[in-house]
Amino acid sequence: MALNIGADDLVENPTPRVPVALCLDTSGSMMGDKICELVKGVNLFYDAIDEDDDAHDAAEVSIVEFNSAVSLIQDFASIERLNRIDAIDATGGTALGEGVNLALDTLEKRKSTYSNAGVLYYQPWLVLMTDGKPNGRPDELERAVHRVTELVAQKKLTVFPIGIGADVDMNVLARFSPNRPPLRLQGLSFREFFEWLSKSVSRVSRSTPGDTVKLDLEGLAGWAEL
Amino acid sequence: MFNEFHHQVRGRGHELDGTRGQDRTQYLSRGGVQAICLADGAGSASHSEFGAQAVADEGCAALVEQFEQLVASVDGGQIKIELLERLLTKVNMLAERHGRDVHDFASTFLGVAVSGDKFLGAHVGDGVIGYLKDGDMRVISAPDNSEFANQTTFVTSHGAAGSMRLFRGSLQGVTGFILMSDGAGDSLFNARTRQLAAACEKLIVAVGAAPARLSQNSKHKKQWRKFIDVRVRNATKDDCSIGVFGRSVAS
């Protein structure tokens, strides 16, 4: 008996997603070269994902900005739906806790969407970048630290706290990363960081059950100090 | 009696990496009991292909030798513990021989055995087991993926016995079974609807309709292998393995 199996007899499952939440400081102190380099870095991140066969179908990126207020400037979307950023205004204070909480809320919603649609996903990533000291509501900061550390402890989130410049409060960033010290960007090496990030996303998107995706710590050289 | 077909193929991802495939399948028929098993070695476990082979081999032996006892037992919890202990003993021996940690041999396990008018099976981890009953293709055991796509339970995992799915039943109206690793599931199992692809039924029917004694290189087996090697393999980067029991409706 001939085996007559057509395309309709097979299913096409969606690619498992790697959600990456970028939580970016856009306070007044970021004005000038820092914000320009950050925007270039994010766009380069998009380009690198676009060019990578594995990451292209898997990565979904969101962007939350925080200054005196917080806003979701890019909800989770695949690379085909992400618009390149022209510019971001840097102004006001550093409501870091509020920003992280919005990023986590957005992430939770996205995970629900995946689950309801039967889309598998990998452990989400939160990239937190700041150049200063939080001056938003203290209770929001504590809530954000608690939420992140709980998720990290449960192995439900990978967090990358990144300090920019000399004035960043690394002690606060360290509170978000119980397992690994926060990284301080060397100069304005946003480009190198986002290149590293896109490669790391690609490695995760290629992983299969049982794979332990180790961070490419050697790849940190040139853009970060531990 | 059921006809059987089992096959594994190295995924495109492993081919690109230059690493070995980690899926393994096995079939055993003895004393009127037939068993078919497959195991998918863990990606990060250095010797998982050896672990997968050991688990598939020992799973078949256990299901065949203990079929009557397993089918008659009323204590499902105890069966899970005993079956897992047997698999783990085998993997532990292998680990000792290689001088490595048992977790280096981690794999999933899927197995089905049939005899007389009864069947039974067990499943640890991801992959899918389904059967064709009264003309309907149904899922018996769905993937256990935890929350994330690259996480599942392995035979060597803490709590594997608790997550093992055990099933048994009557063969009345059953035309066949299909077992698949997660790689094969990418094109043969709809993760959204939790239903098996129509190709599964066609494969079971084809295996069931083939002559009872087929050589490894019969045109039938070549055709089935080609389906896995090309169509199923090209739909994923992961290794693909499949096990099929099929019998004609008249039997």
Side-chain angles (χ1 to χ4, degrees), chain B residues 134-156:
Chain B
D134 298 327
D136 281 338
M137 198 67 231
R138 305 172 194 183
V139 171
I140 302 177
S141 184
D144 164 20
N145 267 112
S146 179
E147 182 181 350
F148 302 122
N150 55 352
Q151 289 180 356
T152 192
T153 309
F154 299 109
V155 167
T156 48

PDB file of all heavy atoms in Angstrom, chain B residues 134-156:
ATOM      1  N   ASP B 134     -11.361   2.930  16.513  1.00  0.00           N
ATOM      2  CA  ASP B 134     -12.675   3.096  15.861  1.00  0.00           C
ATOM      3  C   ASP B 134     -12.613   4.179  14.781  1.00  0.00           C
ATOM      4  O   ASP B 134     -13.544   4.984  14.636  1.00  0.00           O
ATOM      5  CB  ASP B 134     -13.747   3.452  16.894  1.00  0.00           C
ATOM      6  CG  ASP B 134     -13.924   2.345  17.936  1.00  0.00           C
ATOM      7  OD1 ASP B 134     -13.757   1.160  17.570  1.00  0.00           O
ATOM      8  OD2 ASP B 134     -14.211   2.662  19.098  1.00  0.00           O
ATOM      9  N   GLY B 135     -11.486   4.221  14.081  1.00  0.00           N
ATOM     10  CA  GLY B 135     -11.347   5.170  12.963  1.00  0.00           C
ATOM     11  C   GLY B 135     -10.950   6.575  13.380  1.00  0.00           C
ATOM     12  O   GLY B 135     -10.779   7.443  12.530  1.00  0.00           O
ATOM     13  N   ASP B 136     -10.810   6.827  14.690  1.00  0.00           N
ATOM     14  CA  ASP B 136     -10.424   8.160  15.168  1.00  0.00           C
ATOM     15  C   ASP B 136      -8.990   8.156  15.674  1.00  0.00           C
ATOM     16  O   ASP B 136      -8.611   7.274  16.452  1.00  0.00           O
ATOM     17  CB  ASP B 136     -11.313   8.597  16.345  1.00  0.00           C
ATOM     18  CG  ASP B 136     -12.658   9.088  15.882  1.00  0.00           C
ATOM     19  OD1 ASP B 136     -12.763   9.489  14.709  1.00  0.00           O
ATOM     20  OD2 ASP B 136     -13.587   9.058  16.705  1.00  0.00           O
ATOM     21  N   MET B 137      -8.249   9.168  15.257  1.00  0.00           N
ATOM     22  CA  MET B 137      -6.877   9.310  15.738  1.00  0.00           C
ATOM     23  C   MET B 137      -6.908  10.108  17.041  1.00  0.00           C
ATOM     24  O   MET B 137      -7.403  11.234  17.069  1.00  0.00           O
ATOM     25  CB  MET B 137      -6.080  10.071  14.661  1.00  0.00           C
ATOM     26  CG  MET B 137      -4.594   9.960  14.762  1.00  0.00           C
ATOM     27  SD  MET B 137      -3.967   8.326  14.437  1.00  0.00           S
ATOM     28  CE  MET B 137      -2.952   8.100  15.887  1.00  0.00           C
ATOM     29  N   ARG B 138      -6.440   9.520  18.103  1.00  0.00           N
ATOM     30  CA  ARG B 138      -6.528  10.180  19.405  1.00  0.00           C
ATOM     31  C   ARG B 138      -5.168  10.232  20.091  1.00  0.00           C
ATOM     32  O   ARG B 138      -4.353   9.331  19.926  1.00  0.00           O
ATOM     33  CB  ARG B 138      -7.487   9.417  20.335  1.00  0.00           C
ATOM     34  CG  ARG B 138      -8.861   9.217  19.749  1.00  0.00           C
ATOM     35  CD  ARG B 138      -9.686   8.296  20.629  1.00  0.00           C
ATOM     36  NE  ARG B 138     -10.878   7.836  19.911  1.00  0.00           N
ATOM     37  CZ  ARG B 138     -11.810   7.069  20.436  1.00  0.00           C
ATOM     38  NH1 ARG B 138     -11.711   6.657  21.689  1.00  0.00           N
ATOM     39  NH2 ARG B 138     -12.869   6.697  19.711  1.00  0.00           N
ATOM     40  N   VAL B 139      -4.975  11.284  20.888  1.00  0.00           N
ATOM     41  CA  VAL B 139      -3.741  11.416  21.669  1.00  0.00           C
ATOM     42  C   VAL B 139      -3.923  10.678  22.989  1.00  0.00           C
ATOM     43  O   VAL B 139      -4.914  10.876  23.694  1.00  0.00           O
ATOM     44  CB  VAL B 139      -3.422  12.904  21.945  1.00  0.00           C
ATOM     45  CG1 VAL B 139      -2.263  13.039  22.940  1.00  0.00           C
ATOM     46  CG2 VAL B 139      -3.085  13.628  20.656  1.00  0.00           C
ATOM     47  N   ILE B 140      -2.994   9.785  23.308  1.00  0.00           N
ATOM     48  CA  ILE B 140      -3.028   9.119  24.614  1.00  0.00           C
ATOM     49  C   ILE B 140      -2.201   9.913  25.613  1.00  0.00           C
ATOM     50  O   ILE B 140      -2.597  10.113  26.755  1.00  0.00           O
ATOM     51  CB  ILE B 140      -2.432   7.687  24.540  1.00  0.00           C
ATOM     52  CG1 ILE B 140      -3.186   6.825  23.531  1.00  0.00           C
ATOM     53  CG2 ILE B 140      -2.458   7.036  25.918  1.00  0.00           C
ATOM     54  CD1 ILE B 140      -2.587   5.427  23.380  1.00  0.00           C
ATOM     55  N   SER B 141      -1.056  10.375  25.164  1.00  0.00           N
ATOM     56  CA  SER B 141      -0.157  11.071  26.081  1.00  0.00           C
ATOM     57  C   SER B 141       0.534  12.216  25.348  1.00  0.00           C
ATOM     58  O   SER B 141       1.238  11.997  24.364  1.00  0.00           O
ATOM     59  CB  SER B 141       0.876  10.075  26.624  1.00  0.00           C
ATOM     60  OG  SER B 141       1.688  10.695  27.581  1.00  0.00           O
ATOM     61  N   ALA B 142       0.302  13.431  25.832  1.00  0.00           N
ATOM     62  CA  ALA B 142       0.811  14.636  25.174  1.00  0.00           C
ATOM     63  C   ALA B 142       2.160  15.041  25.770  1.00  0.00           C
ATOM     64  O   ALA B 142       2.572  14.508  26.798  1.00  0.00           O
ATOM     65  CB  ALA B 142      -0.213  15.758  25.347  1.00  0.00           C
ATOM     66  N   PRO B 143       2.849  15.997  25.142  1.00  0.00           N
ATOM     67  CA  PRO B 143       4.173  16.391  25.649  1.00  0.00           C
ATOM     68  C   PRO B 143       4.101  17.032  27.029  1.00  0.00           C
ATOM     69  O   PRO B 143       3.159  17.764  27.324  1.00  0.00           O
ATOM     70  CB  PRO B 143       4.650  17.434  24.629  1.00  0.00           C
ATOM     71  CG  PRO B 143       3.773  17.297  23.455  1.00  0.00           C
ATOM     72  CD  PRO B 143       2.487  16.731  23.922  1.00  0.00           C
ATOM     73  N   ASP B 144       5.119  16.740  27.827  1.00  0.00           N
ATOM     74  CA  ASP B 144       5.275  17.395  29.124  1.00  0.00           C
ATOM     75  C   ASP B 144       6.436  18.362  28.965  1.00  0.00           C
ATOM     76  O   ASP B 144       7.591  17.983  29.057  1.00  0.00           O
ATOM     77  CB  ASP B 144       5.580  16.313  30.181  1.00  0.00           C
ATOM     78  CG  ASP B 144       6.136  16.906  31.470  1.00  0.00           C
ATOM     79  OD1 ASP B 144       5.932  18.104  31.702  1.00  0.00           O
ATOM     80  OD2 ASP B 144       6.773  16.163  32.231  1.00  0.00           O
ATOM     81  N   ASN B 145       6.096  19.621  28.679  1.00  0.00           N
ATOM     82  CA  ASN B 145       7.137  20.603  28.369  1.00  0.00           C
ATOM     83  C   ASN B 145       7.407  21.593  29.489  1.00  0.00           C
ATOM     84  O   ASN B 145       8.070  22.586  29.273  1.00  0.00           O
ATOM     85  CB  ASN B 145       6.774  21.406  27.122  1.00  0.00           C
ATOM     86  CG  ASN B 145       7.359  20.779  25.891  1.00  0.00           C
ATOM     87  OD1 ASN B 145       6.616  20.268  25.062  1.00  0.00           O
ATOM     88  ND2 ASN B 145       8.676  20.775  25.757  1.00  0.00           N
ATOM     89  N   SER B 146       6.865  21.369  30.659  1.00  0.00           N
ATOM     90  CA  SER B 146       7.026  22.349  31.716  1.00  0.00           C
ATOM     91  C   SER B 146       6.532  23.693  31.151  1.00  0.00           C
ATOM     92  O   SER B 146       5.634  23.719  30.320  1.00  0.00           O
ATOM     93  CB  SER B 146       8.496  22.402  32.146  1.00  0.00           C
ATOM     94  OG  SER B 146       8.670  23.353  33.143  1.00  0.00           O
ATOM     95  N   GLU B 147       7.135  24.808  31.562  1.00  0.00           N
ATOM     96  CA  GLU B 147       6.653  26.087  31.006  1.00  0.00           C
ATOM     97  C   GLU B 147       7.393  26.447  29.722  1.00  0.00           C
ATOM     98  O   GLU B 147       6.808  27.050  28.824  1.00  0.00           O
ATOM     99  CB  GLU B 147       6.823  27.208  32.038  1.00  0.00           C
ATOM    100  CG  GLU B 147       6.280  28.552  31.531  1.00  0.00           C
ATOM    101  CD  GLU B 147       6.438  29.685  32.508  1.00  0.00           C
ATOM    102  OE1 GLU B 147       6.796  29.439  33.673  1.00  0.00           O
ATOM    103  OE2 GLU B 147       6.192  30.832  32.094  1.00  0.00           O
ATOM    104  N   PHE B 148       8.652  26.063  29.645  1.00  0.00           N
ATOM    105  CA  PHE B 148       9.461  26.571  28.538  1.00  0.00           C
ATOM    106  C   PHE B 148       9.784  25.504  27.495  1.00  0.00           C
ATOM    107  O   PHE B 148       9.875  24.316  27.799  1.00  0.00           O
ATOM    108  CB  PHE B 148      10.750  27.184  29.088  1.00  0.00           C
ATOM    109  CG  PHE B 148      10.497  28.284  30.070  1.00  0.00           C
ATOM    110  CD1 PHE B 148      10.988  28.225  31.357  1.00  0.00           C
ATOM    111  CD2 PHE B 148       9.714  29.365  29.719  1.00  0.00           C
ATOM    112  CE1 PHE B 148      10.727  29.236  32.273  1.00  0.00           C
ATOM    113  CE2 PHE B 148       9.435  30.380  30.613  1.00  0.00           C
ATOM    114  CZ  PHE B 148       9.949  30.319  31.899  1.00  0.00           C
ATOM    115  N   ALA B 149      10.007  25.997  26.273  1.00  0.00           N
ATOM    116  CA  ALA B 149      10.173  25.102  25.131  1.00  0.00           C
ATOM    117  C   ALA B 149      11.376  24.183  25.268  1.00  0.00           C
ATOM    118  O   ALA B 149      11.376  23.077  24.732  1.00  0.00           O
ATOM    119  CB  ALA B 149      10.303  25.937  23.849  1.00  0.00           C
ATOM    120  N   ASN B 150      12.429  24.649  25.972  1.00  0.00           N
ATOM    121  CA  ASN B 150      13.626  23.800  26.066  1.00  0.00           C
ATOM    122  C   ASN B 150      13.733  23.123  27.439  1.00  0.00           C
ATOM    123  O   ASN B 150      14.820  22.840  27.909  1.00  0.00           O
ATOM    124  CB  ASN B 150      14.896  24.594  25.759  1.00  0.00           C
ATOM    125  CG  ASN B 150      15.032  25.814  26.637  1.00  0.00           C
ATOM    126  OD1 ASN B 150      14.113  26.158  27.369  1.00  0.00           O
ATOM    127  ND2 ASN B 150      16.182  26.463  26.573  1.00  0.00           N
ATOM    128  N   GLN B 151      12.591  22.894  28.047  1.00  0.00           N
ATOM    129  CA  GLN B 151      12.587  22.180  29.328  1.00  0.00           C
ATOM    130  C   GLN B 151      11.608  21.020  29.265  1.00  0.00           C
ATOM    131  O   GLN B 151      10.500  21.161  28.749  1.00  0.00           O
ATOM    132  CB  GLN B 151      12.157  23.105  30.468  1.00  0.00           C
ATOM    133  CG  GLN B 151      13.198  24.149  30.828  1.00  0.00           C
ATOM    134  CD  GLN B 151      12.732  25.046  31.958  1.00  0.00           C
ATOM    135  OE1 GLN B 151      11.608  24.940  32.424  1.00  0.00           O
ATOM    136  NE2 GLN B 151      13.598  25.944  32.380  1.00  0.00           N
ATOM    137  N   THR B 152      12.018  19.878  29.785  1.00  0.00           N
ATOM    138  CA  THR B 152      11.094  18.761  29.928  1.00  0.00           C
ATOM    139  C   THR B 152      11.629  17.842  31.022  1.00  0.00           C
ATOM    140  O   THR B 152      12.676  18.107  31.612  1.00  0.00           O
ATOM    141  CB  THR B 152      10.889  18.015  28.590  1.00  0.00           C
ATOM    142  OG1 THR B 152       9.778  17.132  28.721  1.00  0.00           O
ATOM    143  CG2 THR B 152      12.132  17.195  28.209  1.00  0.00           C
ATOM    144  N   THR B 153      10.912  16.780  31.298  1.00  0.00           N
ATOM    145  CA  THR B 153      11.360  15.831  32.316  1.00  0.00           C
ATOM    146  C   THR B 153      12.076  14.675  31.628  1.00  0.00           C
ATOM    147  O   THR B 153      11.638  14.203  30.588  1.00  0.00           O
ATOM    148  CB  THR B 153      10.140  15.275  33.088  1.00  0.00           C
ATOM    149  OG1 THR B 153       9.349  16.373  33.531  1.00  0.00           O
ATOM    150  CG2 THR B 153      10.582  14.457  34.287  1.00  0.00           C
ATOM    151  N   PHE B 154      13.170  14.239  32.223  1.00  0.00           N
ATOM    152  CA  PHE B 154      13.899  13.085  31.707  1.00  0.00           C
ATOM    153  C   PHE B 154      13.814  11.935  32.706  1.00  0.00           C
ATOM    154  O   PHE B 154      13.471  12.147  33.867  1.00  0.00           O
ATOM    155  CB  PHE B 154      15.361  13.460  31.443  1.00  0.00           C
ATOM    156  CG  PHE B 154      15.519  14.555  30.429  1.00  0.00           C
ATOM    157  CD1 PHE B 154      15.934  15.816  30.809  1.00  0.00           C
ATOM    158  CD2 PHE B 154      15.212  14.332  29.097  1.00  0.00           C
ATOM    159  CE1 PHE B 154      16.046  16.839  29.876  1.00  0.00           C
ATOM    160  CE2 PHE B 154      15.320  15.343  28.158  1.00  0.00           C
ATOM    161  CZ  PHE B 154      15.735  16.592  28.547  1.00  0.00           C
ATOM    162  N   VAL B 155      14.139  10.761  32.226  1.00  0.00           N
ATOM    163  CA  VAL B 155      14.132   9.576  33.083  1.00  0.00           C
ATOM    164  C   VAL B 155      15.025   9.796  34.307  1.00  0.00           C
ATOM    165  O   VAL B 155      14.741   9.310  35.400  1.00  0.00           O
ATOM    166  CB  VAL B 155      14.611   8.353  32.254  1.00  0.00           C
ATOM    167  CG1 VAL B 155      14.925   7.170  33.134  1.00  0.00           C
ATOM    168  CG2 VAL B 155      13.549   7.983  31.216  1.00  0.00           C
ATOM    169  N   THR B 156      16.097  10.563  34.110  1.00  0.00           N
ATOM    170  CA  THR B 156      17.052  10.815  35.198  1.00  0.00           C
ATOM    171  C   THR B 156      16.691  12.043  36.036  1.00  0.00           C
ATOM    172  O   THR B 156      17.419  12.385  36.962  1.00  0.00           O
ATOM    173  CB  THR B 156      18.457  11.042  34.593  1.00  0.00           C
ATOM    174  OG1 THR B 156      18.324  11.965  33.519  1.00  0.00           O
ATOM    175  CG2 THR B 156      19.057   9.744  34.078  1.00  0.00           C
TER     176      THR B 156
END
